[in-house]
Coordinates of all heavy atoms in Angstrom, one line a residue:
I59 N 74.1 83.6 -117.4 CA 74.3 84.6 -116.4 C 75.5 84.2 -115.5 O 76.4 85.1 -115.3 CB 73.0 84.8 -115.5 CG1 71.8 85.3 -116.3 CG2 73.3 85.7 -114.3 CD1 70.5 85.2 -115.6
A60 N 75.5 83.0 -115.1 CA 76.7 82.5 -114.3 C 78.0 82.6 -115.1 O 79.0 83.1 -114.5 CB 76.5 81.1 -113.8
A61 N 77.9 82.3 -116.3 CA 79.1 82.3 -117.2 C 79.7 83.7 -117.4 O 80.9 84.0 -117.2 CB 78.8 81.7 -118.5
N62 N 78.8 84.6 -117.6 CA 79.2 86.0 -117.8 C 79.9 86.6 -116.6 O 80.9 87.3 -116.7 CB 78.0 86.9 -118.2 CG 77.7 86.8 -119.7 OD1 78.6 86.6 -120.5 ND2 76.4 86.9 -120.1
K63 N 79.4 86.2 -115.4 CA 80.0 86.7 -114.2 C 81.4 86.1 -114.0 O 82.3 86.8 -113.6 CB 79.1 86.3 -113.0 CG 77.8 87.1 -112.9 CD 77.0 86.6 -111.6 CE 75.7 87.3 -111.5 NZ 74.8 86.7 -110.5
A64 N 81.5 84.8 -114.3 CA 82.8 84.2 -114.2 C 83.8 84.8 -115.1 O 85.0 85.0 -114.8 CB 82.7 82.7 -114.4
I65 N 83.4 85.0 -116.4 CA 84.3 85.6 -117.4 C 84.7 87.0 -117.0 O 85.9 87.4 -117.1 CB 83.6 85.6 -118.8 CG1 83.4 84.1 -119.2 CG2 84.3 86.4 -119.8 CD1 82.5 84.0 -120.4
A66 N 83.8 87.8 -116.4 CA 84.1 89.1 -116.0 C 85.1 89.1 -114.8 O 86.1 89.8 -114.8 CB 82.8 89.9 -115.5
M67 N 84.9 88.2 -113.9 CA 85.9 88.1 -112.8 C 87.3 87.7 -113.2 O 88.3 88.1 -112.7 CB 85.4 87.0 -111.7 CG 86.2 87.1 -110.4 SD 85.9 85.7 -109.3 CE 84.4 86.3 -108.5
A68 N 87.3 86.8 -114.3 CA 88.6 86.4 -114.8 C 89.3 87.5 -115.6 O 90.5 87.4 -115.9 CB 88.4 85.2 -115.7
G69 N 88.5 88.6 -115.9 CA 89.1 89.7 -116.6 C 89.4 89.5 -118.1 O 90.3 90.1 -118.7
I70 N 88.6 88.6 -118.6 CA 88.7 88.3 -120.1 C 87.3 88.6 -120.7 O 86.4 89.0 -120.0 CB 89.2 86.9 -120.4 CG1 88.3 85.8 -119.8 CG2 90.6 86.6 -119.9 CD1 88.6 84.4 -120.2
S71 N 87.2 88.4 -122.0 CA 85.9 88.6 -122.6 C 85.5 87.3 -123.3 O 86.3 86.4 -123.5 CB 86.0 89.7 -123.6 OG 86.5 89.3 -124.8
P72 N 84.2 87.1 -123.5 CA 83.7 85.8 -124.1 C 84.4 85.4 -125.3 O 84.6 84.1 -125.5 CB 82.2 86.2 -124.4 CG 81.8 87.3 -123.4 CD 83.1 88.1 -123.3
I73 N 84.9 86.3 -126.1 CA 85.6 85.9 -127.3 C 86.9 85.2 -127.0 O 87.4 84.4 -127.9 CB 85.8 87.2 -128.2 CG1 86.1 86.8 -129.7 CG2 86.8 88.1 -127.7 CD1 84.9 86.4 -130.4
D74 N 87.4 85.4 -125.8 CA 88.7 84.7 -125.5 C 88.5 83.2 -125.1 O 89.5 82.5 -125.0 CB 89.3 85.4 -124.3 CG 89.7 86.9 -124.6 OD1 90.2 87.1 -125.7 OD2 89.4 87.7 -123.7
I75 N 87.2 82.8 -124.8 CA 87.0 81.5 -124.4 C 87.1 80.5 -125.6 O 86.5 80.8 -126.7 CB 85.5 81.3 -123.8 CG1 85.3 82.2 -122.6 CG2 85.2 79.9 -123.5 CD1 86.1 81.8 -121.4
D76 N 87.9 79.5 -125.4 CA 88.1 78.6 -126.6 C 87.4 77.2 -126.4 O 87.4 76.4 -127.3 CB 89.5 78.5 -127.1 CG 90.5 78.2 -126.0 OD1 90.1 77.8 -124.9 OD2 91.7 78.4 -126.2
L77 N 87.0 76.9 -125.2 CA 86.2 75.7 -124.9 C 85.2 75.9 -123.8 O 85.5 76.6 -122.8 CB 87.2 74.6 -124.4 CG 86.6 73.2 -124.0 CD1 85.9 72.5 -125.1 CD2 87.7 72.3 -123.4
I78 N 84.0 75.4 -124.0 CA 82.9 75.5 -123.0 C 82.5 74.0 -122.7 O 82.1 73.3 -123.7 CB 81.7 76.3 -123.5 CG1 82.1 77.7 -123.8 CG2 80.6 76.2 -122.5 CD1 81.0 78.5 -124.5
I79 N 82.5 73.6 -121.5 CA 82.0 72.3 -121.1 C 80.8 72.6 -120.1 O 81.0 73.2 -119.1 CB 83.1 71.4 -120.4 CG1 84.3 71.3 -121.3 CG2 82.5 70.0 -120.2 CD1 85.4 70.5 -120.6
L80 N 79.7 72.1 -120.5 CA 78.5 72.3 -119.6 C 78.2 70.9 -119.0 O 77.9 69.9 -119.7 CB 77.3 72.7 -120.5 CG 75.9 72.6 -119.8 CD1 75.8 73.6 -118.6 CD2 74.8 72.8 -120.7
A81 N 78.3 70.9 -117.7 CA 77.9 69.7 -116.9 C 76.5 69.8 -116.6 O 76.1 70.7 -115.8 CB 78.8 69.5 -115.7
T82 N 75.7 68.9 -117.1 CA 74.2 68.9 -116.7 C 73.6 67.6 -117.0 O 74.0 66.8 -117.9 CB 73.5 70.1 -117.5 OG1 72.1 70.1 -116.9 CG2 73.3 69.8 -119.0
S83 N 72.5 67.3 -116.2 CA 71.7 66.1 -116.5 C 70.3 66.6 -117.0 O 69.5 65.7 -117.3 CB 71.5 65.3 -115.3 OG 72.8 65.0 -114.7
T84 N 70.1 67.9 -117.0 CA 68.8 68.4 -117.3 C 68.9 69.5 -118.4 O 68.5 70.7 -118.1 CB 68.1 69.0 -116.0 OG1 69.0 69.9 -115.4 CG2 67.9 67.9 -115.0
P85 N 69.4 69.2 -119.5 CA 69.6 70.2 -120.6 C 68.2 70.7 -121.1 O 67.2 70.0 -120.9 CB 70.3 69.5 -121.7 CG 70.0 68.1 -121.5 CD 69.9 67.9 -120.0
D86 N 68.2 71.9 -121.7 CA 66.9 72.3 -122.3 C 66.6 71.5 -123.5 O 65.5 71.5 -124.0 CB 67.1 73.8 -122.7 CG 67.3 74.7 -121.6 OD1 66.8 74.5 -120.5 OD2 68.1 75.7 -121.7
D87 N 67.7 70.9 -124.1 CA 67.6 70.2 -125.4 C 68.4 68.9 -125.2 O 69.5 69.0 -124.8 CB 68.2 71.1 -126.4 CG 68.2 70.6 -127.8 OD1 68.2 69.3 -128.0 OD2 68.1 71.4 -128.8
M88 N 67.8 67.8 -125.6 CA 68.5 66.5 -125.5 C 69.8 66.5 -126.3 O 70.6 65.7 -126.0 CB 67.6 65.4 -125.9 CG 66.6 64.9 -124.8 SD 67.4 64.1 -123.5 CE 67.8 62.5 -124.3
F89 N 69.8 67.3 -127.3 CA 71.1 67.3 -128.1 C 72.2 68.1 -127.4 O 73.3 68.2 -127.9 CB 70.8 68.0 -129.5 CG 70.0 67.2 -130.4 CD1 69.1 67.8 -131.3 CD2 70.1 65.8 -130.5 CE1 68.4 67.0 -132.2 CE2 69.4 65.0 -131.4 CZ 68.5 65.6 -132.2
G90 N 71.8 68.7 -126.3 CA 72.8 69.4 -125.5 C 72.5 70.9 -125.5 O 71.8 71.4 -126.4
S91 N 72.9 71.6 -124.4 CA 72.6 73.0 -124.3 C 73.9 73.9 -124.3 O 73.8 75.1 -124.2 CB 71.8 73.3 -123.0 OG 70.5 72.7 -123.1
A92 N 75.1 73.3 -124.3 CA 76.3 74.0 -124.3 C 76.4 75.0 -125.4 O 76.8 76.2 -125.2 CB 77.5 73.1 -124.3
C93 N 76.0 74.6 -126.6 CA 76.1 75.5 -127.8 C 75.1 76.7 -127.7 O 75.4 77.8 -128.1 CB 75.9 74.7 -129.1 SG 77.1 73.4 -129.3
K94 N 74.0 76.4 -127.1 CA 73.0 77.5 -126.9 C 73.6 78.5 -126.0 O 73.5 79.7 -126.2 CB 71.7 76.9 -126.2 CG 70.7 77.9 -125.8 CD 69.8 78.2 -127.0 CE 68.8 79.2 -126.7 NZ 67.9 79.6 -127.8
I95 N 74.3 78.1 -124.9 CA 74.9 79.0 -124.0 C 76.1 79.8 -124.7 O 76.2 81.0 -124.6 CB 75.5 78.3 -122.8 CG1 74.4 77.6 -122.0 CG2 76.3 79.2 -121.8 CD1 74.8 76.5 -121.0
Q96 N 76.8 79.1 -125.5 CA 77.9 79.7 -126.3 C 77.3 80.9 -127.1 O 77.8 82.0 -127.1 CB 78.5 78.7 -127.3 CG 79.5 79.3 -128.3 CD 79.9 78.4 -129.4 OE1 79.3 77.3 -129.6 NE2 80.9 78.8 -130.1
G97 N 76.1 80.6 -127.7 CA 75.4 81.7 -128.5 C 75.0 82.8 -127.6 O 75.1 84.0 -128.0
L98 N 74.4 82.5 -126.5 CA 73.9 83.5 -125.6 C 75.0 84.5 -125.1 O 74.7 85.7 -124.9 CB 73.2 82.9 -124.4 CG 71.8 82.2 -124.7 CD1 71.3 81.5 -123.4 CD2 70.8 83.3 -125.1
I99 N 76.2 83.9 -124.8 CA 77.2 84.8 -124.3 C 78.1 85.3 -125.3 O 79.0 86.1 -125.1 CB 78.1 84.1 -123.2 CG1 78.8 82.9 -123.7 CG2 77.2 83.6 -122.0 CD1 79.8 82.3 -122.7
G100 N 78.0 84.9 -126.6 CA 78.8 85.4 -127.7 C 80.2 84.9 -127.6 O 81.2 85.6 -128.0
A101 N 80.4 83.6 -127.2 CA 81.8 83.0 -127.2 C 82.0 82.4 -128.5 O 82.2 81.2 -128.6 CB 81.9 82.0 -126.0
S102 N 82.1 83.2 -129.6 CA 82.1 82.6 -130.9 C 83.4 82.0 -131.3 O 83.5 81.3 -132.4 CB 81.7 83.7 -131.9 OG 82.6 84.9 -131.7
S103 N 84.5 82.1 -130.5 CA 85.7 81.3 -130.8 C 85.8 80.0 -130.2 O 86.8 79.2 -130.3 CB 86.9 82.1 -130.4 OG 86.9 83.4 -130.9
A104 N 84.8 79.6 -129.4 CA 84.8 78.4 -128.6 C 84.2 77.2 -129.3 O 83.4 77.4 -130.2 CB 84.1 78.6 -127.2
V105 N 84.6 76.0 -128.8 CA 83.8 74.8 -129.2 C 83.1 74.5 -127.8 O 83.7 74.6 -126.8 CB 84.7 73.7 -129.7 CG1 85.8 73.3 -128.7 CG2 83.8 72.5 -130.0
A106 N 81.9 74.0 -127.9 CA 81.1 73.8 -126.7 C 80.4 72.4 -126.8 O 79.9 72.0 -127.8 CB 80.0 74.8 -126.6
F107 N 80.5 71.7 -125.6 CA 79.7 70.4 -125.6 C 79.3 70.2 -124.1 O 79.8 70.8 -123.2 CB 80.6 69.3 -126.1 CG 81.9 69.0 -125.3 CD1 81.8 68.2 -124.2 CD2 83.1 69.5 -125.7 CE1 83.0 67.9 -123.5 CE2 84.2 69.3 -125.0 CZ 84.2 68.4 -123.9
D108 N 78.3 69.3 -124.0 CA 77.7 68.9 -122.7 C 78.5 67.7 -122.2 O 79.0 66.8 -123.0 CB 76.3 68.5 -122.9 CG 75.3 69.7 -123.1 OD1 75.8 70.6 -123.8 OD2 74.2 69.6 -122.6
L109 N 78.5 67.5 -120.9 CA 79.0 66.4 -120.2 C 78.0 65.9 -119.1 O 77.6 66.8 -118.4 CB 80.4 66.7 -119.6 CG 81.2 65.7 -118.8 CD1 82.7 66.1 -118.9 CD2 80.8 65.6 -117.4
T110 N 77.7 64.7 -119.1 CA 76.7 64.2 -118.1 C 77.4 63.3 -117.1 O 77.9 62.2 -117.5 CB 75.5 63.5 -118.8 OG1 74.9 64.4 -119.7 CG2 74.5 63.1 -117.7
A111 N 77.4 63.7 -115.9 CA 77.8 62.8 -114.8 C 77.1 63.2 -113.5 O 77.7 63.2 -112.4 CB 79.3 62.8 -114.6
A112 N 75.8 63.5 -113.7 CA 74.9 63.8 -112.6 C 75.6 64.8 -111.6 O 76.1 65.8 -112.0 CB 74.5 62.5 -111.9
C113 N 75.5 64.5 -110.3 CA 76.0 65.5 -109.3 C 77.5 65.5 -109.3 O 78.1 66.4 -108.6 CB 75.5 65.1 -107.9 SG 73.7 65.0 -107.9
S114 N 78.2 64.6 -109.9 CA 79.7 64.6 -110.1 C 80.1 65.5 -111.3 O 81.3 65.6 -111.6 CB 80.3 63.2 -110.2 OG 79.8 62.4 -109.2
G115 N 79.1 65.9 -112.0 CA 79.3 66.5 -113.4 C 80.3 67.7 -113.4 O 81.2 67.8 -114.2
F116 N 80.1 68.6 -112.4 CA 81.0 69.8 -112.4 C 82.4 69.4 -112.2 O 83.3 69.9 -112.9 CB 80.6 70.8 -111.3 CG 81.5 72.0 -111.3 CD1 81.5 73.0 -112.2 CD2 82.5 72.0 -110.3 CE1 82.4 74.0 -112.2 CE2 83.4 73.1 -110.2 CZ 83.4 74.1 -111.2
L117 N 82.7 68.5 -111.3 CA 84.0 68.1 -111.0 C 84.6 67.3 -112.2 O 85.8 67.5 -112.5 CB 84.0 67.2 -109.7 CG 85.2 67.4 -108.8 CD1 85.2 68.8 -108.3 CD2 85.2 66.4 -107.7
F118 N 83.9 66.4 -112.8 CA 84.3 65.7 -114.0 C 84.7 66.7 -115.1 O 85.6 66.6 -115.8 CB 83.3 64.7 -114.4 CG 83.3 63.4 -113.6 CD1 83.7 63.4 -112.3 CD2 82.8 62.2 -114.2 CE1 83.7 62.2 -111.6 CE2 82.8 61.0 -113.5 CZ 83.2 61.0 -112.2
A119 N 83.8 67.8 -115.2 CA 84.0 68.8 -116.3 C 85.3 69.6 -116.0 O 86.1 69.9 -116.9 CB 82.8 69.7 -116.4
L120 N 85.5 69.9 -114.7 CA 86.7 70.7 -114.4 C 88.0 69.9 -114.7 O 88.9 70.4 -115.2 CB 86.6 71.0 -112.9 CG 87.8 71.8 -112.3 CD1 87.8 73.2 -112.8 CD2 87.8 71.8 -110.7
I121 N 87.9 68.6 -114.4 CA 89.1 67.7 -114.6 C 89.3 67.6 -116.1 O 90.4 67.6 -116.6 CB 88.9 66.4 -113.9 CG1 88.9 66.6 -112.4 CG2 89.9 65.3 -114.3 CD1 88.3 65.4 -111.6
T122 N 88.2 67.4 -116.9 CA 88.3 67.3 -118.3 C 88.9 68.6 -118.9 O 89.8 68.5 -119.8 CB 86.9 67.1 -118.9 OG1 86.3 65.9 -118.3 CG2 86.9 66.9 -120.4
A123 N 88.4 69.7 -118.4 CA 89.0 71.0 -118.9 C 90.5 71.1 -118.6 O 91.3 71.5 -119.5 CB 88.3 72.2 -118.1
S124 N 90.9 70.6 -117.5 CA 92.4 70.6 -117.1 C 93.2 69.8 -118.1 O 94.3 70.2 -118.4 CB 92.6 70.2 -115.7 OG 92.5 68.8 -115.6
Q125 N 92.6 68.7 -118.6 CA 93.3 67.9 -119.6 C 93.6 68.6 -120.9 O 94.7 68.6 -121.4 CB 92.6 66.6 -119.8 CG 92.3 65.8 -118.6 CD 93.5 65.5 -117.8 OE1 94.5 64.9 -118.2 NE2 93.6 66.1 -116.6
F126 N 92.6 69.3 -121.4 CA 92.7 70.1 -122.6 C 93.7 71.3 -122.4 O 94.4 71.6 -123.4 CB 91.4 70.7 -123.1 CG 90.5 69.6 -123.7 CD1 89.4 69.1 -123.1 CD2 90.8 69.2 -125.0 CE1 88.6 68.2 -123.7 CE2 90.0 68.2 -125.6 CZ 88.9 67.7 -125.0
I127 N 93.8 71.8 -121.2 CA 94.7 72.9 -121.0 C 96.1 72.4 -120.8 O 97.1 72.9 -121.4 CB 94.3 73.7 -119.7 CG1 93.0 74.5 -120.0 CG2 95.4 74.7 -119.3 CD1 92.4 75.2 -118.8
N128 N 96.2 71.3 -120.1 CA 97.6 70.7 -119.9 C 98.2 70.2 -121.2 O 99.4 70.2 -121.3 CB 97.5 69.5 -118.9 CG 97.3 70.0 -117.5 OD1 97.5 71.2 -117.1 ND2 96.8 69.1 -116.6
T129 N 97.4 69.7 -122.1 CA 98.0 69.2 -123.4 C 98.2 70.4 -124.3 O 98.7 70.1 -125.5 CB 97.0 68.2 -124.0 OG1 95.7 68.7 -124.1 CG2 97.0 66.9 -123.2
G130 N 97.8 71.6 -123.9 CA 98.1 72.8 -124.8 C 97.1 73.0 -125.9 O 97.3 73.9 -126.7
V131 N 96.0 72.2 -125.9 CA 95.0 72.3 -126.9 C 94.1 73.6 -126.7 O 93.8 74.3 -127.6 CB 94.1 71.1 -126.9 CG1 93.0 71.3 -128.0 CG2 94.9 69.8 -127.2
H132 N 93.8 73.9 -125.4 CA 93.0 75.0 -125.1 C 93.6 75.9 -124.1 O 94.4 75.4 -123.2 CB 91.6 74.6 -124.7 CG 90.8 74.0 -125.8 ND1 90.3 74.7 -126.9 CD2 90.3 72.7 -126.0 CE1 89.6 73.9 -127.7 NE2 89.6 72.7 -127.2
Q133 N 93.2 77.2 -124.1 CA 93.9 78.2 -123.2 C 92.9 78.7 -122.1 O 93.3 78.8 -121.0 CB 94.4 79.3 -124.1 CG 95.1 80.4 -123.3 CD 96.4 80.8 -123.9 OE1 96.7 80.4 -125.0 NE2 97.2 81.4 -123.1
N134 N 91.7 79.0 -122.6 CA 90.7 79.6 -121.7 C 89.4 78.8 -121.7 O 88.7 78.8 -122.7 CB 90.4 81.1 -122.1 CG 91.6 81.9 -122.0 OD1 92.4 81.9 -121.1 ND2 91.8 82.7 -123.1
V135 N 89.2 78.1 -120.7 CA 88.0 77.1 -120.7 C 87.0 77.6 -119.7 O 87.3 77.9 -118.5 CB 88.5 75.7 -120.4 CG1 87.3 74.7 -120.5 CG2 89.6 75.3 -121.3
L136 N 85.7 77.6 -120.2 CA 84.6 77.9 -119.3 C 83.9 76.6 -118.9 O 83.5 75.8 -119.8 CB 83.6 78.7 -120.1 CG 82.3 79.1 -119.4 CD1 82.5 80.0 -118.2 CD2 81.4 79.8 -120.4

Side-chain angles (χ1 to χ4, degrees):
I59 297 168
N62 278 327
K63 289 180 183 169
I65 291 167
M67 189 188 283
I70 58 174
S71 82
I73 198 79
D74 300 318
I75 299 290
D76 50 15
L77 172 64
I78 299 171
I79 308 177
L80 168 67
T82 189
S83 309
T84 55
D86 297 325
D87 181 329
M88 279 289 286
F89 288 146
S91 290
C93 299
K94 177 81 181 179
I95 298 163
Q96 174 190 11
L98 287 173
I99 65 172
S102 51
S103 304
V105 58
F107 63 86
D108 289 35
L109 179 155
T110 301
C113 303
S114 309
F116 175 77
L117 218 61
F118 281 25
L120 179 71
I121 293 163
T122 304
S124 76
Q125 302 308 296
F126 282 107
I127 292 176
N128 288 340
T129 51
V131 177
H132 291 293
Q133 181 129 14
N134 299 314
V135 184
L136 176 66

